[in-house]
Amino acid sequence: MKGKVYRNYVFDLYGTLVDIHTDESAAELWEKLSLFYGYYGAVYTPGELRTAYESLVSGKESALLGSLSEEPRYAHESYPEIKLEEVFRELYLNRGVEADMALAVHTGQMFRVLGTEYVRLYEGAKELLAALRNSGAGVWLLSNAQRIFTAYELNYLDIARYFDGIMISSDYNTKKPDRRFYEAMFREYGIKPEESLMIGNDARCDIGGAKAVGMDTFYIRSNLSPQDEVTPECTYCLEKMDLFRVAELLLQ
């Protein structure tokens, strides 16, 4: 029996289409990043750099959370997403180095590369995206991510071309499951939630957030789903990663 036909398919990225492993705690990362900062005159020991980075991130997230929570409608569901390039730039400024944003972005990308063990597509990702687009539906990306990392990883993986629109949370100061992020997508692309299916691997961010704004949902348990996560109530569900099966269910 043929299932519901959707006008829009909205995808999460990491853990849904892309398998990635990063480790920001590795000593070698901070050793090499401190060397990179030192090239430009911002001298830190690895430990000083890590402490300063984590302190800036925490402080900026707290400040943004306070700002987001001032809106009564969203007070209980605020999820801040800062721009990490601002943190990397401030680390230069705090050592008296007048770094521009281009250097800050390149530093952030160095950080990402140093901390990434691998980034790769799940098998069948391109085929699924192509098939959905060929069906005449809109295909969209709604990702909790940093633009200075993700925009480039999309190009590296050669999947940016499959999306009708790409929304990255660092551009919006908020992330899933905050309904503001979903509502921004509805406004920008004219998407109606009742005509759309959210596909993701996280019960709270992807499934819970989408259901709260009136979307149908497709949960895929992957290696990047939160450990011991209870399978959520959803329109479709797969208990293991299989994007070919996703295509079968949606395009049967």
Side-chain angles (χ1 to χ4, degrees), residues 30-226:
W30 296 102
E31 291 166 2
K32 292 187 180 299
L33 193 65
S34 67
L35 178 61
F36 188 84
Y37 268 94
Y39 283 173
Y40 292 91
V43 178
Y44 291 90
T45 67
E48 288 172 338
L49 182 59
R50 180 176 179 178
T51 297
Y53 170 82
E54 292 175 349
S55 177
L56 284 171
V57 169
S58 178
K60 289 180 179 295
E61 287 180 342
S62 295
L64 181 55
L65 175 60
S67 175
L68 293 174
S69 298
E70 290 175 0
E71 299 179 58
R73 180 185 176 195
Y74 303 104
H76 300 296
E77 55 176 293
S78 297
Y79 293 84
E81 184 77 284
I82 65 172
K83 291 181 172 64
L84 280 181
E85 58 266 38
E86 296 175 357
V87 171
F88 292 112
R89 182 168 185 262
E90 198 161 327
L91 288 167
Y92 284 107
L93 298 177
N94 288 348
R95 285 294 192 265
V97 176
E98 290 294 329
D100 60 18
M101 194 54 72
L103 177 57
V105 169
H106 290 154
T107 304
Q109 291 168 343
M110 171 70 76
F111 170 87
R112 180 68 160 188
V113 169
L114 291 172
T116 299
E117 180 180 341
Y118 61 79
V119 57
R120 59 201 179 199
L121 293 173
Y122 288 112
E123 187 178 3
K126 286 185 178 181
E127 292 86 347
L128 171 61
L129 295 172
L132 291 174
R133 289 205 73 183
N134 289 339
S135 76
V139 180
W140 315 89
L141 182 67
L142 191 71
S143 178
N144 286 358
Q146 291 289 318
R147 174 163 292 279
I148 64 170
F149 306 154
T150 299
Y152 296 86
E153 289 169 355
L154 288 171
N155 289 333
Y156 167 71
L157 296 166
D158 191 31
I159 59 169
R161 59 195 171 97
Y162 292 103
F163 296 105
D164 294 288
I166 294 171
M167 295 188 64
I168 298 174
S169 59
S170 65
D171 293 337
Y172 296 88
N173 292 328
T174 188
K175 59 189 176 183
K176 299 174 292 184
D178 194 322
R179 67 185 301 125
R180 274 172 290 208
F181 194 25
Y182 289 92
E183 290 172 350
M185 176 181 64
F186 301 153
R187 288 194 304 272
E188 290 193 23
Y189 297 117
I191 292 173
K192 295 181 180 179
E194 64 273 16
E195 299 176 342
S196 307
L197 180 72
M198 179 72 207
I199 304 166
N201 74 299
D202 188 295
R204 179 175 62 91
C205 293
D206 300 321
I207 307 307
K211 287 172 65 176
V213 294
M215 298 175 70
D216 282 358
T217 55
F218 195 139
Y219 175 74
I220 306 169
R221 187 180 300 279
S222 76
N223 59 311
L224 296 182
S225 296

Side-chain angles (χ1 to χ4, degrees), residues 221-237:
R221 187 180 300 279
S222 76
N223 59 311
L224 296 182
S225 296
Q227 290 188 352
D228 301 320
E229 180 172 74
V230 176
T231 302
E233 292 186 8
C234 48
T235 315
Y236 298 90
C237 176

